[in-house]
């Protein structure tokens, strides 16, 4: 039952948690994303070809360059696009928690996601803490993420 189901993840798993919860709002009461793998279109377009092909391209199309990387599939699964394509009331039915380190290379995408959520007045928690894209950082954030999920179950 939705009221007792949450999804959480870190890094690529954080991205997966976000896009899964956004596409399936009827399944989850809460979503916790730590250092989620969210990229802006600009970052994707400018990404080094080698990094793109070995990381993002495996899912969204290898060998693509520049603006050709912004494919329909990219838009279907990017949390930044999903905010606009999913019904607001359904998005609002999920409690959102975002956590990112101030030195994390994914800071820009996560910050952009937070800004879009604020602009559309979608309730969420956003935390920026001292740290990087490391297990040391995530271990210090898991407790707060789990508490957030626990509060979501108290209805």
């Amino acid at each position: 039952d939705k009221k007792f189901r949450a999804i959480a993840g870190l890094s690529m798993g954080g991205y997966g948690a976000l896009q899964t919860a956004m596409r399936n709002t009827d399944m989850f009461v809460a979503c916790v994303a730590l250092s989620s793998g969210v990229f802006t279109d600009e970052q994707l377009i400018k990404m080094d070809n080698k990094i793109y092909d070995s990381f993002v391209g495996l899912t969204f199309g290898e060998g693509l360059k520049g603006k050709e990387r912004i494919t329909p599939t990219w838009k279907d699964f990017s949390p930044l696009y999903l905010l606009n394509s999913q019904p607001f009331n359904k998005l609002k039915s999920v409690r959102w928690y975002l956590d990112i380190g101030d030195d994390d290379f994914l800071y820009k995408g996560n910050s952009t996601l937070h800004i879009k959520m604020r602009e559309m007045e979608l309730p969420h928690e956003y935390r920026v803490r001292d740290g990087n894209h490391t297990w040391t950082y995530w271990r210090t954030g898991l407790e707060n993420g789990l508490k957030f999920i626990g509060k979501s179950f108290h209805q």
Side-chain angles (χ1 to χ4, degrees), residues 6-18 30-37 97-99 110 133 135 138 141-142 145-146 149:
I7 189 168
L10 55 91
S11 192
M12 184 59 77
Y15 160 83
L18 285 169
C31 176
V32 172
L34 307 176
S35 307
S36 60
Y97 184 93
L98 311 173
D99 180 300
N110 282 260
H133 202 80
W135 278 104
W138 299 319
L142 283 174
L146 291 172
I149 289 171

Side-chain angles (χ1 to χ4, degrees), residues 1 20 23 61 76 95 109 139 145 151-152 154:
D1 191 2
T20 300
R23 293 167 57 90
D76 285 345
R95 294 185 72 227
R139 277 191 292 269
K151 287 180 185 176
S152 302
H154 294 281

